[in-house]
Amino acid sequence: MVSHFVRPVPELCIITNHMIDWIYNRWHHLLSRYNHDLLFPANLMLYADAIYRSGAALENCWGFIDGTVRPVCRPGENQRAIYNGHKRVHSVKFQSVALPNGLVGHLHGPVEGKRHDSGMLASSGLLQDLQRFSNSPVTGLPMCVYGDPAYPLRAHLQGPYKGAVLTLHQQEFNKSMSSARVSVEWVF
């Protein structure tokens, strides 16, 4: 950016921070997680119904959580902080909850590429938000998001059955949820 804009690094930082502040001050009401309709309890019920009607086994699942790795150029310093050993690339990571309408209901990141999905989950505060806000307005029972095996199982966070030997019911469950979950990959 220095060569493109012909300005020193500190000045580019000041301009960037000014623009971030301006965007936030102008549009913060759209960025707040609970100031809009996306995650109201009634809408969670609509999302869960849409996912269940698509063939998913869970009746109370309203979204799909996943992390993504975005490669970046190798930095000159602190390379280990952003090196992702699994993908073998320097990167930053994001975590999102994809809704069945194609929108992102929750986004966390960027974080260092070395962070595991379960580490991003802990730092995002999503589990606490799910415990507070992800309950059926009708029955009061927990509603959940569905993730891959990297995430821990909780009442509000479900995943596939694990193991080499699964019953037929478990295999069918995993297959139905996997076909519904593919939508989270489309978000990225």
Side-chain angles (χ1 to χ4, degrees):
M1 289 178 61
V2 171
S3 62
H4 184 74
F5 293 106
V6 194
R7 296 192 182 273
V9 172
E11 193 171 332
L12 289 172
C13 289
I14 290 169
I15 293 168
T16 301
N17 287 335
H18 174 79
M19 291 309 300
I20 289 170
D21 289 341
W22 182 84
I23 290 169
Y24 181 80
N25 289 333
R26 177 70 175 96
W27 302 106
H28 70 278
H29 63 283
L30 298 176
L31 299 174
S32 176
R33 281 186 266 180
Y34 302 106
N35 282 346
H36 52 75
D37 296 340
L38 279 182
L39 299 180
F40 283 166
N43 283 343
L44 297 185
M45 296 291 290
L46 292 174
Y47 302 148
D49 186 51
I51 290 171
Y52 183 69
R53 282 187 285 117
S54 76
L58 289 173
E59 295 181 28
N60 65 337
C61 175
W62 58 266
F64 301 97
I65 185 171
D66 200 7
T68 187
V69 175
R70 290 290 172 222
V72 297
C73 294
R74 184 177 65 179
E77 298 176 13
N78 300 320
Q79 294 180 19
R80 287 182 186 220
I82 65 168
Y83 185 73
N84 183 296
H86 178 69
K87 301 284 186 178
R88 296 185 177 172
V89 66
H90 292 87
S91 62
V92 293
K93 293 181 81 173
F94 294 88
Q95 172 186 277
S96 73
V97 175
L99 304 175
N101 59 6
L103 297 177
V104 174
H106 174 84
L107 182 66
H108 176 68
V111 298
E112 308 87 12
K114 70 178 184 177
R115 297 284 295 273
H116 190 270
D117 285 356
S118 59
M120 281 195 301
L121 177 67
S123 66
S124 71
L126 179 63
L127 278 179
Q128 293 82 4
D129 287 347
L130 291 174
Q131 290 172 352
R132 289 177 40 211
F133 302 109
S134 184
N135 297 300
S136 168
V138 177
T139 64
L141 295 174
M143 297 184 69
C144 67
V145 294
Y146 185 85
D148 60 29
Y151 293 100
L153 291 178
R154 302 285 187 268
H156 296 284
L157 182 59
Q158 296 294 304
Y161 286 99
K162 302 173 191 173
V165 180
L166 299 177
T167 67
L168 182 60
H169 175 72
Q170 291 170 334
Q171 291 173 9
E172 289 173 358
F173 174 88
N174 285 356
K175 184 177 179 184
S176 73
M177 293 307 294
S178 177
S179 64
R181 186 186 167 278
V182 76
S183 66
V184 75
E185 303 298 339
W186 298 341
V187 170
F188 289 115

